[in-house]
Amino acid sequence: MILISDVIRAKRDGRELSPAEIAAFIDGYTSGAVPDYQASALLMAIVWRGMGDAELAAWTDAMLRSGEVIDLSDVPGYKVDKHSTGGVGDKVSLPLAPLAAEAGLRVPMISGRGLGHTGGTLDKLEAIPGFRTDLSVARFRELVDTLNVGLIGQTAEIAPADKKLYALRDVTATVECIPLIASSIMSKKLAEGIDGLVLDIKTGSGAFMARRADALELAKTMVAIGRAAGRDVVARITDMSQPIGRWVGNALEVIESVEVLQGRGPADLRALTIELTAEMLVLAGSDATLDAGRARAARILDSGAALERFERVVEAQGGDPRALTDRSRLPGFRSRLDVAAAADGFVGEMDCAEIGRASLMIGAGRARKEDAIDPGVGIEVHARVGDRVEAGAPLFTLCYNEDREVVAAARRLRAAVTIVDEQAPVPALFGERLG
Ligand code: URA
């Protein structure tokens, strides 16, 4: 019999835990047999001592097996998803999922909601009137089979150990720990029934991993977990030191995603969508090189076929497909407030997380899981790092419905940008590739 106090002691003293010890802990914690105080002690010991590769693979596997693992083996073809660690204005999943599906990949995508300064794919999709993300696993499988893509939220049955552990980590100061973060994300992704996974690991002021070294460590750790689980995994480090695209806010990001699906849209959003789709195509063996994948992805976007695919997905998931091209059918905002540059100069650094927090103050995001959001509101971002601006020119426009926090949000936005005399280097969108 394995005593949980021995497991805690072993980790406290820096020993690697065996798969049996890990399973005893994860199974016991999921069932309620292991109390929160023992779980808290073990989590803190992991924060201090870390985890080895084999240990982390066993930990992730135990979390994955704590719940339902979706079996898509009867759906032919290569099943592949993309996961981003999140940020501000990151709507890439919206154009990418129908694009990859149109290119012939099977895309079972289980996404999350926005929390804190980061937005969430589910909230963006649900800005489309009628769109349902709470489909059964059977319906999800059917969508992946018939339309090549299904877009749902995490069900209660997927990785329940992670759900419980994440809530505990939140209140015991044990969230910021790379092995715990990597295993938490990967346990949910591996439950999707995928063959391959493209990871978009964000770094910069709006990212969960603001420091590049941490982003690289997280990427390395997640790739190792995926490999140990027998999946194809590639990770890209990408920039989150300024918002992606021009809009932050749910319905506003739907509109911008549709622009990309029409072969238009902002350059960074289009580039991210194409690059990450190309990575998916190469993982699947559909294209031999990233260049070939990029060319194919661009061709499909420019043809409008991916937009048609998205319309079919929206309809199949209960949404109004006309809302994709008729903005009056999407939730909107009533008022606008410009936030102007205080001086002539160049846009220097942005505190991108602050831009996300300003958007949640006007209702585009949520501070707590239970908070409601206003899908119509958000921020238009006029300036990018390195741009020349004149005093009085708008840097941002707040697009809002409720007056309450708008002045404070404007103040936050103004403080989030530095105006400098010398042109700052424009941050590169793509960094390292691991895989
Ligand atoms: N997202 C997750 O799903 N888990 C973490 O631990 C951190 C971010």
Side-chain angles (χ1 to χ4, degrees):
M1 160 151 177
I2 293 172
L3 290 178
I4 298 301
S5 53
D6 287 342
V7 177
I8 300 169
R9 186 173 299 107
K11 186 41 65 184
R12 182 198 69 188
D13 295 343
R15 189 167 68 69
E16 283 221 354
L17 303 179
S18 70
E21 287 173 317
I22 289 170
F25 170 74
I26 296 285
D27 295 350
Y29 188 59
T30 310
S31 71
V34 173
D36 279 351
Y37 51 82
Q38 285 191 308
S40 306
L42 183 61
L43 289 172
M44 192 53 89
I46 291 171
V47 168
W48 281 99
R49 292 294 192 175
M51 279 179 143
D53 285 350
E55 201 180 12
L56 192 51
W59 177 274
T60 310
D61 190 57
M63 294 229 292
L64 163 72
R65 286 179 200 293
S66 70
E68 175 171 13
V69 181
I70 298 177
D71 181 3
L72 293 174
S73 56
D74 54 341
V75 178
Y78 193 86
K79 274 82 68 180
V80 56
D81 190 12
K82 186 270 310 179
H83 176 80
S84 155
T85 51
V88 181
D90 184 359
K91 65 222 64 149
V92 171
S93 289
L94 272 66
L96 171 139
L99 169 60
E102 188 59 30
L105 303 175
R106 305 279 193 173
V107 188
M109 190 176 272
I110 301 184
S111 306
R113 296 195 180 280
L115 189 60
H117 74 272
T118 63
T121 299
L122 288 189
D123 297 322
K124 295 171 203 198
L125 289 169
E126 286 175 0
I128 302 167
F131 196 99
R132 299 263 315 265
T133 58
D134 59 345
L135 308 180
S136 67
V137 168
R139 178 71 182 133
F140 178 60
R141 187 185 286 109
E142 201 174 283
L143 288 171
V144 176
D145 195 20
T146 54
L147 287 176
N148 283 4
V149 52
L151 303 164
I152 62 167
Q154 205 191 329
T155 70
E157 291 78 35
I158 290 179
D162 177 63
K163 197 168 185 171
K164 265 188 100 173
L165 279 174
Y166 193 85
L168 188 64
R169 286 168 58 208
D170 209 19
V171 292
T172 55
T174 52
V175 168
E176 300 89 344
C177 167
I178 285 176
L180 292 178
I181 295 169
S183 56
S184 163
I185 297 172
M186 291 302 284
S187 66
K188 290 172 284 198
K189 288 283 128 185
L190 296 174
E192 285 177 344
I194 46 175
D195 303 305
L197 179 64
V198 174
L199 294 166
D200 180 7
I201 312 287
K202 301 285 186 202
T203 190
S205 59
F208 199 49
M209 293 286 140
R211 290 181 37 219
R212 188 166 213 93
D214 293 337
L216 273 167
E217 181 65 25
L218 180 64
K220 205 168 92 233
T221 308
M222 288 171 73
V223 169
I225 291 173
R227 290 273 164 74
R231 308 306 205 285
D232 307 318
V233 188
V234 65
R236 297 295 298 261
I237 308 289
T238 69
D239 182 58
M240 189 32 80
S241 59
Q242 55 186 333
I244 297 173
R246 199 178 164 92
W247 295 92
V248 179
N250 299 286
L252 297 165
E253 293 189 42
V254 170
I255 296 167
E256 196 167 41
S257 301
V258 169
E259 286 171 13
V260 170
L261 288 167
Q262 291 168 324
R264 306 182 288 125
D268 58 342
L269 179 58
R270 178 176 160 97
L272 278 165
T273 305
I274 288 175
E275 190 71 15
L276 297 172
T277 304
E279 290 283 9
M280 292 165 84
L281 288 164
V282 170
L283 269 193
S286 303
D287 281 305
T289 64
L290 280 176
D291 267 347
R294 287 182 195 115
R296 179 137 67 118
R299 246 189 340 265
I300 296 172
L301 282 181
D302 295 341
S303 74
L307 176 58
E308 278 172 39
R309 172 82 50 164
F310 195 33
E311 285 168 343
R312 286 163 63 201
V313 174
V314 167
E315 185 152 33
Q317 297 203 204
D320 178 1
R322 292 167 302 179
L324 296 182
T325 44
D326 177 356
R327 176 175 189 153
S328 70
R329 291 177 182 272
L330 285 172
F333 57 86
R334 278 189 292 276
S335 312
R336 299 167 64 97
L337 177 70
D338 284 341
V339 176
D344 291 347
F346 295 93
V347 177
E349 284 185 4
M350 286 194 190
D351 186 338
C352 190
E354 281 292 279
I355 300 170
R357 285 185 202 107
S359 79
L360 87 84
M361 287 171 79
I362 58 165
R366 56 172 77 75
R368 293 170 311 150
K369 276 209 297 288
E370 328 41 79
D371 293 346
I373 60 164
D374 180 344
V377 302
I379 298 173
E380 182 171 8
V381 182
H382 299 286
R384 302 191 63 75
V385 173
D387 283 358
R388 173 144 188 73
V389 288
E390 285 177 10
L395 297 174
F396 303 98
T397 303
L398 284 155
C399 305
Y400 62 99
N401 285 319
E402 303 288 338
D403 292 343
R404 215 162 31 92
E405 295 281 0
V406 82
V407 172
R411 206 177 305 125
R412 205 178 261 268
L413 283 178
R414 199 168 295 113
V417 176
T418 52
I419 305 290
V420 293
D421 294 335
E422 302 279 316
Q423 187 168 25
V426 177
L429 186 53
F430 296 103
E432 295 82 347
R433 177 174 191 269
L434 290 88

